[in-house]
Amino acid sequence: MSQFTGLTAAQATSRSRSTLGRALGFRSSPQSGGAGRRRAIYHGLVLGGLIFLAYIMIVLAPIQRSMGFDAYAYWSVDLANLYRGEVGDLGFFAYSPALGLLFLPLTVLPWLPFALVWWGLLVGALLWLGRGSFLALLAFPPVAYELYHANIHLLLAVAIVLGMRYPAAWAFVLLTKITAGVGLLWFVVRREWRQLFVALGATGIVVGATYLLLPAQWAEWFAILTQNAGHAHEWPALPIPLWLRLPVAALIVAWGARRDARWTVPLAATLALPVLWAGGLSLLVACWALRSPTARVAIPTDAH
């Protein structure tokens, strides 16, 4: 107690609390209380999200028995009968014939190894997008739904992030969730015509090459897109029609392009998804990867 010699009781108590705070890692600045509360809220939200993920995977999955529902459509690809069934049926394939060809080699695997490979791709995508913030992104509730159903939105997030530097990556977006291609307005508003032509050219090359192999399947896919345009989906899809969401998404991209706010591109792409399922909101993790001009993928210096 010699360090408190000559101090009043109040001063001694204050100093002892300060010493204890430093031992616990808190700074003694006037804002430390607020920063500490923000950290506590952040860690609490991450912990809550991870608990929700565990509940989905450990408790809900054995009850619902629909884990990997979307991935089953990729595993059961049959090019001779690619678009069998109806939207929402187990095994219904909703993407372009080009994606059917891409998934075809994986169909030689039995279901469980295929599912493990697919989940590995999704987790790998999340690791790449989040880097040091992987747990925070994993705790984002829509990611739990995305991993449960094993859809394609996290791979779309990677394609959009890569597409800021390598525009050909946009072909993956346009050949899966075509309306999410509203993000290409980024290049239009910024007059980055070379990037736009590369994105559209790469898509055109893939379409042309695969059309020569699968002309009937391409005709079927275009027919499905036409038939389902504006189709209202019931809950759990968010009941906001695409005709309303699409122009709002375009405005978001235009606003962001003028302010170099790259995170607005995946935000707009999410809003423009054909159907807003809970898992589709996992595409928003790309906003984290594009939160600043120097984050994750640098902009080419010759962009203009």
Side-chain angles (χ1 to χ4, degrees), residues 16 20 43 94 105 109 120 138 156 159 176 198 211 231 235 304:
S16 64
L20 177 61
H43 292 303
L109 297 173
L138 187 64
L156 289 174
T176 51
V198 168
Y211 183 83
H231 177 70
W235 183 262
H304 296 281

Side-chain angles (χ1 to χ4, degrees), residues 43-287:
H43 292 303
L45 290 173
V46 171
L47 179 60
L50 294 176
I51 291 172
F52 178 72
L53 174 65
Y55 169 77
I56 292 286
M57 296 299 183
I58 298 172
V59 178
L60 193 62
I63 298 173
Q64 295 293 326
R65 300 178 65 84
S66 59
M67 191 170 178
F69 181 92
D70 293 320
Y72 185 83
Y74 317 146
W75 174 72
S76 59
V77 161
D78 178 5
L79 292 180
N81 190 19
L82 190 56
Y83 299 108
R84 61 192 182 278
E86 297 181 359
V87 176
D89 290 348
L90 177 64
F92 179 78
F93 189 78
Y95 307 136
S96 71
L99 268 291
L101 283 172
L102 180 64
F103 295 147
L104 189 61
L106 291 176
T107 62
V108 301
L109 297 173
W111 163 244
L112 184 57
F114 172 87
L116 292 175
V117 168
W118 191 257
W119 278 311
L121 286 173
L122 297 183
V123 172
L126 203 60
L127 278 167
W128 185 82
L129 290 163
R131 294 199 287 182
S133 301
F134 169 72
L135 284 181
L137 297 189
L138 187 64
F140 184 41
V143 170
Y145 287 108
E146 179 71 2
L147 293 177
Y148 178 81
H149 289 110
N151 205 294
I152 205 169
H153 299 100
L154 292 176
L155 300 183
L156 289 174
V158 169
I160 289 173
V161 173
L162 285 175
M164 301 303 292
R165 184 172 180 86
Y166 308 104
W170 276 99
F172 185 75
V173 179
L174 295 173
L175 295 171
T176 51
K177 310 279 189 180
I178 187 170
T179 51
V182 69
L184 287 173
L185 287 175
W186 172 273
F187 299 130
V188 175
V189 174
R190 294 167 65 88
R191 299 183 180 181
E192 295 174 355
W193 306 119
R194 181 176 65 85
Q195 284 84 344
L196 179 64
F197 293 151
V198 168
L200 296 178
T203 305
I205 290 171
V206 174
V207 171
T210 55
Y211 183 83
L212 294 176
L213 296 173
L214 304 168
Q217 288 84 342
W218 272 102
E220 282 187 79
W221 189 57
F222 287 132
I224 289 171
L225 293 179
T226 303
Q227 291 167 8
N228 288 279
H231 177 70
H233 291 267
E234 298 179 355
W235 183 262
L238 296 180
I240 307 174
L242 180 61
W243 64 263
L244 180 60
R245 292 186 279 112
L246 200 56
V248 175
L251 289 174
I252 290 173
V253 176
W255 179 88
R258 294 182 182 280
R259 290 161 179 78
D260 203 27
R262 298 190 298 164
W263 56 269
T264 59
V265 176
L267 174 61
T270 302
L271 190 61
L273 287 172
V275 184
L276 273 181
W277 302 105
L281 299 180
S282 64
L283 180 53
L284 292 172
V285 299
C287 295

